[in-house]
Amino acid sequence: MKTSGSILVAGKKAPNFSLNSTPDQKVSLSDFRGQPVILAFYPADWSPVCTDQLSLYAEVMPEFKKHNAELLAISVDNIWSHLAFSKDRKLNFPVLADFEPKGTVSRKYGAFKEKIGEAARALFVIDDKGVIRWSHLSPDGVNPGADGILLALENLNRNQPVVQG
Amino acid sequence: MAATKTVPRRTPGKTRLETVEEEPETTRLVVPVDPGRDHIQGPLAASLTLVEYGDYQCPYCGAAYPEVKKIQKQLGSKLRFVFRNFPLSRIHEHALNAAETAEAANAQGKFWDMHDFLYEHQDTLGDPGVALGFAKKLGLDIQKFQHDLSQHTHQSRIKEDFNGGVRSGVNGTPTFYVNGLRHEGAATAKELVKALEAPK
């Protein structure tokens, strides 16, 4: 699987973005400064593994909330697909459209597969100051589960990294 | 306990980049089998252990159910089988109620009867009368059974199972752990027996 470079690693400042969560609403990463944010890039709405992954996160949301964390899911699908998908799976977090120009945000995080034109299945945990503290890239067909995210959230308060810029 | 890792680390098939302490134990059962609380079939001291995280409404769990029966028949007293709840209730609207139904039967010593019944009647999960009829047939105290369901008496235990599963890397249902390690192969009797009997 060829991504554009490799995904951003712990210690990097998380690039800001502003993407639509509904046809007339935008969500920016900077809206959540002061609390941890989980970014879940995924290849496509409706594909079976994604469904499992995001459905699982919807179930695990109370655990994420214990850390005051927000979850933002991002793919290159358009907002109408996202709305139908989100409603069908009863997702309880924003699903953002990295649709136009396609994949811009995924690219910034090193999580865009150029040949296929989809986001990679990449996870990022960002701390309250906007610094990436953990990242993980899964093969497309592998649902990474939520254990890595939970451990990263627990570790947020343990060791403060040096920001690399 | 775990060593400090400060450099990006690569493992075959996946890339993990982190500066946090402790590698997430994605493939290991982090909640040990507890005879005081777990649902266990087979001898407690059996040499082989199979743990399933399952959802009563999940079709793949339904398909795995007869496979587990085959495994139990084949391995006999060498195996202890443990079932833990992992209801994906947002996509399976009857899964949590079904898990509560099995736990309500458990409170009266009939967990496995109800567990088997639910998997054998997956298409009736939307109709609570069906499981109730079976509870009567089992001779359960129906007033207590219904009280447990209406008061959600066993929901906290189900959530404990679920959260423990999440920490062990359960990412869908069914997820099996073979002698404490997540089974990555097919959920068939053949593959699971092979994994169970592999040299440790």
Side-chain angles (χ1 to χ4, degrees):
Chain A
M1 187 180 68
K2 178 76 180 149
T3 53
S4 50
S6 59
I7 62 169
L8 295 185
V9 298
K12 295 276 185 199
K13 194 90 183 155
N16 194 30
F17 56 79
S18 195
L19 292 173
N20 279 80
S21 62
T22 69
D24 51 11
Q25 246 182 329
K26 276 188 186 286
V27 167
S28 299
L29 179 62
S30 54
D31 297 345
F32 305 102
R33 190 57 56 85
Q35 67 182 116
V37 177
I38 304 152
L39 297 185
F41 290 90
Y42 64 101
D45 289 346
W46 306 110
S47 74
V49 170
C50 308
T51 306
D52 281 341
Q53 186 187 359
L54 296 190
S55 299
L56 177 71
Y57 293 172
E59 303 275 359
V60 181
M61 191 53 94
E63 295 303 300
F64 296 154
K65 287 287 180 193
K66 283 181 188 165
H67 297 275
N68 192 31
E70 286 292 334
L71 169 63
L72 304 174
I74 303 174
S75 82
V76 299
D77 295 283
N78 78 23
I79 201 64
W80 300 106
S81 175
H82 275 347
L83 286 177
F85 176 63
S86 187
K87 189 178 171 198
D88 185 70
R89 304 296 175 211
K90 301 191 180 76
L91 301 182
N92 48 6
F93 45 81
V95 182
L96 307 181
D98 192 12
F99 179 68
E100 180 59 35
K102 187 180 173 184
T104 306
V105 175
S106 308
R107 262 192 202 95
K108 280 187 189 169
Y109 282 80
F112 189 72
K113 296 175 292 173
E114 298 289 346
K115 276 189 183 161
I116 303 168
E118 290 179 346
R121 196 175 295 285
L123 293 169
F124 298 86
V125 169
I126 298 164
D127 70 13
D128 55 350
K129 297 178 188 69
V131 177
I132 296 170
R133 298 288 294 276
W134 178 80
S135 65
H136 175 76
L137 178 66
S138 302
D140 276 4
V142 175
N143 174 353
D147 51 322
I149 296 172
L150 288 171
L151 194 57
L153 288 172
E154 280 167 14
N155 281 333
L156 282 184
N157 298 322
R158 288 195 203 161
N159 48 343
Q160 298 289 335
V162 178
V163 181
Q164 294 165 2
Chain B
M1 192 173 81
T4 303
K5 293 185 179 72
T6 52
V7 290
R9 180 172 174 277
R10 279 167 192 278
T11 50
K14 60 183 163 188
T15 310
R16 216 179 254 293
L17 302 157
E18 57 184 345
T19 53
V20 294
E21 290 176 22
E22 294 177 284
E23 183 82 352
E25 297 274 324
T26 49
T27 57
R28 200 168 278 280
L29 187 69
V30 298
V31 182
V33 175
D34 176 0
R37 135 178 229 294
D38 274 316
H39 305 303
I40 305 176
Q41 273 183 329
L44 295 182
S47 57
L48 307 175
T49 301
L50 180 65
V51 176
E52 176 183 2
Y53 279 92
D55 169 321
Y56 290 102
Q57 200 184 339
C58 161
Y60 302 101
C61 298
Y65 165 76
E67 300 296 313
V68 171
K69 292 286 181 208
K70 276 188 226 167
I71 296 165
Q72 289 181 297
K73 201 173 166 192
Q74 192 177 334
L75 298 178
S77 62
K78 284 195 290 181
L79 178 75
R80 58 175 185 171
F81 171 62
V82 179
F83 181 86
R84 289 175 175 171
N85 296 292
F86 203 82
L88 291 166
S89 50
R90 299 181 84 85
I91 51 173
H92 298 144
E93 57 181 331
H94 309 304
L96 182 57
N97 179 258
E100 290 184 68
T101 302
E103 293 298 335
N106 180 60
Q108 300 187 45
K110 297 285 184 188
F111 175 78
W112 291 104
D113 299 85
M114 189 59 85
H115 166 276
D116 290 4
F117 181 84
L118 293 170
Y119 274 124
E120 287 162 16
H121 297 80
Q122 273 196 312
D123 54 343
T124 71
L125 293 183
D127 177 0
V130 177
L132 183 65
F134 185 64
K136 283 178 186 159
K137 211 174 138 191
L138 285 174
L140 300 188
D141 173 344
I142 294 303
Q143 207 179 349
K144 173 168 166 45
F145 180 77
Q146 287 188 305
H147 178 268
D148 283 3
L149 289 177
S150 66
Q151 298 303 307
H152 304 293
T153 307
H154 305 293
Q155 234 178 50
S156 59
R157 182 235 157 86
I158 294 164
K159 287 207 187 329
E160 269 172 42
D161 275 4
F162 185 91
N163 286 334
V166 169
R167 300 314 301 249
S168 296
V170 173
N171 55 7
T173 52
T175 293
F176 287 96
Y177 290 81
V178 169
N179 302 323
L181 292 177
R182 192 170 72 184
H183 178 67
E184 309 291 348
T188 60
K190 195 179 161 202
E191 289 295 314
L192 283 163
V193 166
K194 204 165 96 185
L196 280 160
E197 292 193 318
K200 289 175 200 174

